[in-house]
Amino acid sequence: MTTLPVTPSTALVRMTNIRWRIMFLVFVILTLNYLDRVNISIAAPLIQKEFGFSPVQLGVIFSAFTWGNVLGQLPGGALSSIFGAKRMYVIAIICWSALLAATSLATSVTTFVIFRVVFGFFEGMCWPVASTVGATWFPKSERSRAMSLQANGMVVGLAIAPPFVTYFMMQYGWRGAFLVSACLSLIWLFFWIYTMNDRPDKHPNVNDAELKHIAEGQAVSSDDAGNERPLSFMEALKVVIKKPSLYAACLSNGALVWTLYTYTSWLPLYLQHERGFTIAKTGFIAMLPFLFSMITIPCGGIVSDWLYKRTGNLKLAKNLPIMFGLFAGGVMMIPAALAEDPMTGVFLLSIGYSLIMFILGPQWAIPPDVGGKKAAGYACALVQIISHIPGIIAPIFMGYIVQATGHYTAGVVTAGVVAMLGALLFPILYRGEKDHYSEPQKVCNIKL
């Protein structure tokens, strides 16, 4: 992309906001992504009753999604860097919708696991592709807010999933709820195909003022802009693996992921079995942690961007919100697990979860910082792969806790401890790399 000169005519032209329309669509698909992936936990009481699965077997089924999710990260990042975000979302969404619908045919632990693994593989491409959109369409000064918007799709999806899936599950059974969910993502594709372009300078509705704004911190000479090519896997790997901030992002996201998958897998069953709520009430009470997070997630991005603009210190702008969110949220989990009153416990649990989700905006601005425009998808994929190992362990761990003790308390406390450890270790690794958006022309010259 070329850096456009400021002329009197362009300076007076009102800037278009196509980049925010595109990021809004990314927000919507992440909403549907998380609605699709958690409907099995909402349907779990009916599935467990129908097939007689034990808590450990349910834990394995919940965990199976993450196996595929991890496997899909690197292909998603690599292919989005090569073929572009537009095509990759089309391919991924068609495939994950088909697999979600096919899950309604499962009748055993084995078939549930197979469908969930393959379904998770295609859903796993979503975050790396979103990171590519953020690196391509947004300047550094807006990136935390942009990533907060798309990350908020996660909690919106998690918030609307309980009442949405519960309603269709009670009307048409859990299989009918799966089929309805699968259709929604396919409808989204029409809007994506019409609106998205992988190159801002080629988008017919982007004016010069917006192009100049997007190009801030991404300046490439005219000659280099005409000769840009995607990085190979090894080239991108050499760029990102040497940067400690990549592993800081893995650590903080891993702490978040432990809590996320504990909640998304077991919250409905926890509310029914540990707190005594009915299925109908669970559909609404299970919204609370995610409704609270709809407030904290954008606040995290706003605070991080404000700190960066105020101080010019990228390290400070990431360290403070990430450390605060993880530690405060982790501390809150302990009284939440021990509270005797059900609603008090749910309220504290919701606050703790939402504080941990506060880190999502600054957290997901780190991979574009580390990888730059040409390797952002790879950096995001590596963070997702490494940090989702806790997502594989957490649901099975909770299954063993429930089967061994008959209660969920130790599992909730463990999630809090993991979050606090992440807060303490993150600043040891994070370096606050700057100005990697000016590196693509050097990156392309790496020799194997």
Side-chain angles (χ1 to χ4, degrees):
M1 182 189 303
T2 58
T3 302
L4 298 172
V6 180
T7 65
S9 60
T10 59
L12 295 175
V13 173
R14 184 175 181 178
M15 181 172 63
T16 54
N17 285 294
I18 301 302
R19 67 194 184 284
W20 288 108
R21 294 185 193 178
I22 289 172
M23 190 53 75
F24 176 75
L25 286 176
V26 175
F27 155 80
V28 173
I29 197 56
L30 275 168
T31 299
L32 297 176
N33 181 294
Y34 276 80
L35 187 152
D36 290 349
R37 70 173 65 184
V38 301
N39 51 21
I40 195 167
S41 66
I42 299 164
L46 295 184
I47 293 173
Q48 186 178 35
K49 183 178 179 180
E50 181 175 343
F51 299 109
F53 296 147
S54 69
V56 173
Q57 287 176 318
L58 276 179
V60 171
I61 292 171
F62 294 149
S63 176
F65 169 86
T66 316
W67 311 347
N69 190 269
V70 167
L71 293 173
Q73 299 295 326
L74 198 54
L79 293 175
S80 66
S81 295
I82 295 171
F83 297 113
K86 183 173 184 176
R87 292 181 186 176
M88 287 313 303
Y89 266 142
V90 172
I91 294 168
I93 289 166
I94 291 174
C95 292
W96 94 45
S97 297
L99 265 298
L100 180 61
T103 306
S104 63
L105 303 175
T107 57
S108 66
V109 173
T110 301
T111 51
F112 269 104
V113 166
I114 291 172
F115 284 131
R116 294 292 290 178
V117 168
V118 185
F119 167 65
F121 176 85
F122 289 106
E123 282 220 339
M125 296 181 175
C126 197
W127 280 89
V129 178
S131 190
T132 300
V133 174
T136 302
W137 276 90
F138 286 87
K140 181 168 52 178
S141 61
E142 291 182 344
R143 201 153 290 162
S144 285
R145 277 172 289 167
M147 300 311 283
S148 289
L149 172 61
Q150 62 97 12
N152 216 25
M154 178 185 79
V155 290
V156 173
L158 295 174
I160 66 175
F164 178 88
V165 176
T166 299
Y167 172 79
F168 284 100
M169 187 173 66
M170 296 180 75
Q171 295 293 320
Y172 309 110
W174 66 268
R175 293 176 176 85
F178 276 42
L179 294 174
V180 172
S181 298
C183 291
L184 295 177
S185 297
L186 296 176
I187 295 172
W188 175 90
L189 278 179
F190 292 101
F191 297 94
W192 178 253
I193 293 169
Y194 174 77
T195 305
M196 177 61 177
N197 193 303
D198 288 316
R199 292 186 58 176
D201 58 331
K202 297 294 184 182
H203 198 292
N205 297 323
V206 175
N207 66 8
D208 289 350
E210 185 173 13
L211 278 178
K212 177 184 178 296
H213 180 70
I214 292 169
E216 291 175 5
Q218 299 185 14
V220 181
S221 70
S222 298
D223 292 338
D224 288 330
N227 295 319
E228 286 186 356
R229 65 171 177 83
L231 295 183
S232 71
F233 171 72
M234 291 306 299
E235 285 175 330
L237 198 63
K238 287 183 179 181
V239 171
V240 300
I241 64 171
K242 64 184 180 182
K243 297 176 180 175
S245 293
L246 178 80
Y247 306 104
C250 294
L251 179 70
S252 57
N253 198 54
L256 179 149
V257 162
W258 184 286
T259 300
L260 174 67
Y261 279 85
T262 298
Y263 274 58
T264 56
S265 298
W266 288 99
L267 183 60
L269 288 168
Y270 169 80
L271 293 175
Q272 292 174 44
H273 296 166
E274 187 81 16
R275 294 301 187 181
F277 294 108
T278 64
I279 291 179
K281 287 184 178 179
T282 295
F284 291 95
I285 294 173
M287 295 174 65
L288 290 178
F290 313 117
L291 290 175
F292 287 10
S293 299
M294 290 167 64
I295 299 171
T296 58
I297 288 178
C299 287
I302 292 169
V303 168
S304 181
D305 281 346
W306 179 83
L307 285 170
Y308 180 65
K309 287 182 178 180
R310 188 70 181 264
T311 66
N313 188 330
L314 192 61
K315 189 173 182 179
L316 179 70
K318 297 294 188 291
N319 271 334
L320 286 183
I322 289 175
M323 292 176 65
F324 166 76
L326 287 177
F327 195 84
V331 168
M332 195 63 66
M333 294 288 183
I334 298 173
L338 300 177
E340 294 186 3
D341 178 66
M343 282 307 302
T344 300
V346 171
F347 182 75
L348 294 175
L349 207 67
S350 301
I351 294 175
Y353 180 86
S354 65
L355 287 170
I356 292 174
M357 294 301 111
F358 178 83
I359 80 167
L360 272 173
Q363 156 73 38
W364 285 109
I366 295 174
D369 286 347
V370 169
K373 184 173 67 173
K374 288 204 171 258
Y378 292 97
C380 180
L382 287 172
V383 171
Q384 285 281 68
I385 289 170
I386 297 170
S387 65
H388 271 67
I389 294 172
I392 294 173
I393 300 170
I396 300 175
F397 175 82
M398 182 65 92
Y400 275 105
I401 291 292
V402 173
Q403 191 157 305
T405 68
H407 296 281
Y408 296 76
T409 304
V412 176
V413 170
T414 300
V417 171
V418 169
M420 287 187 282
L421 288 174
L424 297 174
L425 296 175
F426 175 80
I428 297 174
L429 289 172
Y430 184 62
R431 298 291 186 271
E433 287 95 343
K434 294 182 180 180
D435 300 322
H436 292 302
Y437 306 110
S438 60
E439 290 186 358
Q441 59 268 44
K442 294 190 292 182
V443 170
C444 288
N445 292 328
I446 294 176
K447 303 296 182 183
L448 297 180

